[in-house]
Amino acid sequence: MLHVKNLSCTRGERLLFSDITIALGAGDCLHVRGINGSGKTSLLRTLVGLSPVETGEIRWRDVNIADSAMNSELIYLGHDAAVNGDLTALENLQFAGAQFGLSLSQPILHDALQRMGLKGRENLPVRALSAGQKRRVLLSRLLTQPANLWVLDEAFNALDIAAGELLTQLIKDHLARGGIALLTSHLPLKMVDILVLDL
Amino acid sequence: MSLPQSSLMLVVSVTTKRDLLLAIRRKSDVLVSLFFFIIVVSLFPLGIGPEPLLLKKIAPGVLMVAALLSTLLGLPRMFAADYADGTLEQLALSPLPFGLLVSGKILAHWLVCGLPLVVLAPVLGLQFGLDGETLMMLMLALLIATPLLSLIGSIGAALTLGVRSGGALLALLILPLYVPTLIFASGAVEVQMVGMNANGYLSLLAAMLALAVFFAPWATSVALKIALE
Amino acid sequence: MNLETEKLGFYRYSSPQTFYPLAGKMLPWFWVVATLFGIAGLWVSFFVAPTDATQGEAYRIIFVHVPASWMSMFIYIVMAAWAGIGLALGTRLSGMMAQALAPTGALMAALSLLTGSLWGRPMWGTWWIWDARLSSELILFFLYVGFIALQAAIDDPRRADKAGAILALVGVVNVPIIYFSVIWWNSLHQGSSVSLTRSPSMAQTMFAGMILMALCFWMYSIAVSLMRVRAIIVERERNSEWIRAEVKYAVE
């Protein structure tokens, strides 16, 4: 479904990566590895269409991503927690759904936050939560928004062991449903049959 | 993506609702720009002297310039927090039209920073000895001018996102573009004061508003995408 | 993108690599033509054009003032056009052209303001009057300064080009509105009734002098912008093979 051909990227005057070719189909998971500054985040940002493609081509369902409807099938979770400190966990999750075009009901929201281990903290302003808990609010989107393509940048950062395992399980379920996942992580993933790209 | 009118407003309301909720949570931000407006307007009589005729003459210009500066004060907040915490990135990747989501944020900025000025201006106008009809005209002119200020300002706010000394730069970029709004809005009030018909000025303001409603959100969303690259 | 650029002939000159030597070859010619027009223009404006009946010799400053005003507006439009092309087609050279034109445009606007106020002194006994032309020229100057400041504040040249392009396009839409609004404002407040350019008796030779000076300014603007764009190309492409070869050749 996702085809990348001869993709290159420069930052300033430095070549980050060149001639990357990827083909991912239903149920595939790609682990992008590399040292700090090797261009993992740049690669993911280019793949989702935030950064412009310099050379090469990215296609989603055989359509160039600029013209494709990829956004309606995509969850991209970046470095930043993308949650507002003045809003509660519940409001943040609700807004995330709304900007995706979903109006989520209270039970769905509560259920998702509960599964992410945030029960009892739904109505606290997010600024009062720890870094790991903020990440959990962000990750709750994986439960509330249906999407075929998950692009997770350093998703395991700041998560404790239990949350890390939960996320691994979520990704496995996603792949079993025929979804695609692209992720970066410094830790080895506890999953079998995944593709690896070293930058 | 073509949308029926009702869902068009629905998309706009997504970001508007959120930003209004945030404004309620952070009341101080809103109050600061309001008090700024009041203080700037009050400084003029203190600087120039209390002569009623002179004050009446400068009132439209003073009120408009103060409204313009107070709008400017709120502009950096329009996108800065969302840019810093990654929310803007999420908005850009949303399947909903980005331009409409941006329009929603501009609308929220106007409701929070512009509309209160419209309500407050007559009270300050009284300090300058303006009569009832002129006060009505002042409100009407501000009602058309303040959304225009938010719309034009959003372009500058997007262009200066994450840029060195963004606030000062924003003023430098946007204030020259505010000139026509300033001229037509204060012109309308002045013309009313001497008993002439101000419809021409109001029509010109409205025409500029119509133009800005279509083009400013588009320019702003292009500028935001550039900032996100 | 790359495939397309190679297909179309027009794009060949939009590559900095082909444009750099081309601009270098054109440069001397523009300087020569600018100098010739300058000499002719100054000769006409100082020795041929008659002394004005009402304004005496002081009016002769219009031979600098009016061409500078024209150029300041014209350059803004050209700059916005380059910016628009750059934004639409993604050609790198367009952004560089816009960046190279901005200081010259700002210089023209500043020159127009300076000569306007110098002329105002003997005419109205004041250095500055809020006449429609001077006021809109002042705002145009601010627009140039804003454009230059925005580009200077952004480190990544690609982002600077794109952000500048949007500002230039927004500006070019606004310039006529600003100009119109300032004229409207001026008529409302009944400012100066004496126009700087509409002197009652404009002789043919005066007009000829102004045209010659305008052509001189035009050629000068092209020449100096080409020089600047070459400098920008060298700066941005300093790590590429061809520019090293080019610069080495120039040094030898």
Side-chain angles (χ1 to χ4, degrees), chain C residues 102-125:
Chain C
T104 306
L107 175 75
M108 291 295 168
L111 197 61
S112 159
L113 289 173
L114 185 74
T115 50
S117 88
L118 283 178
W119 192 19
R121 184 67 191 158
M123 283 300 299
W124 305 291

Side-chain angles (χ1 to χ4, degrees), chain A residues 16 24 40-41 63 78 86 95 120 126 145 163:
Chain A
L16 284 178
L24 295 176
K40 300 187 290 293
T41 298
V63 183
D86 288 325
F95 171 70
V126 165
Q145 298 170 12

Side-chain angles (χ1 to χ4, degrees), chain B residues 75-86 88 105 157 160-162 224:
Chain B
L75 278 179
R77 278 202 307 275
M78 200 189 274
F79 303 114
D82 290 345
Y83 178 70
D85 72 14
L88 202 58
K105 293 188 77 67
T160 53
L161 215 47
L224 287 175

Side-chain angles (χ1 to χ4, degrees), chain B residues 5-55:
Chain B
Q5 192 121 37
S6 58
S7 62
L8 194 134
M9 283 315 292
L10 211 64
V11 175
V12 172
S13 74
V14 168
T15 37
T16 310
K17 272 189 207 156
R18 174 175 178 270
D19 282 12
L20 288 181
L21 184 62
L22 279 170
I24 293 168
R25 295 274 156 85
R26 293 184 298 216
K27 288 186 202 68
S28 61
D29 282 359
V30 182
L31 292 176
V32 163
S33 28
L34 267 184
F35 275 101
F36 178 80
F37 179 60
I38 299 171
I39 290 174
V40 168
V41 171
S42 314
L43 283 179
F44 278 85
L46 295 174
I48 291 171
E51 192 196 327
L53 271 179
L54 181 63
L55 286 183

Side-chain angles (χ1 to χ4, degrees), chain B residues 161 163-164 173 190 201 229, chain C residues 146 153 155 159 162 184 189:
Chain B
L161 215 47
V163 163
R164 264 177 273 127
L173 299 188
E190 276 173 49
Y201 289 85
E229 271 174 16
Chain C
D155 291 323
R159 191 188 157 189
K162 287 184 186 173
W184 190 294
H189 295 273

Side-chain angles (χ1 to χ4, degrees), chain C residues 135-188:
Chain C
S135 312
S136 47
E137 196 67 48
L138 182 66
I139 295 163
L140 184 64
F141 178 67
F142 290 153
L143 288 178
Y144 275 119
V145 173
F147 180 88
I148 295 169
L150 179 66
Q151 287 220 319
I154 302 175
D155 291 323
D156 178 20
R158 273 180 307 183
R159 191 188 157 189
D161 278 349
K162 287 184 186 173
I166 292 178
L167 185 68
L169 288 175
V170 170
V172 88
V173 172
N174 270 279
V175 162
I177 301 179
I178 292 172
Y179 190 69
F180 173 68
S181 71
V182 171
I183 289 173
W184 190 294
W185 160 82
N186 200 46
S187 65
L188 172 71

Side-chain angles (χ1 to χ4, degrees), chain A residues 45 76 82 86 91 95 99, chain B residues 25 85 89-90 94 228:
Chain A
R45 289 177 62 88
Y76 166 78
D86 288 325
E91 287 161 346
F95 171 70
Q99 76 179 39
Chain B
R25 295 274 156 85
D85 72 14
E89 223 166 64
Q90 295 293 333
S94 153
L228 286 172

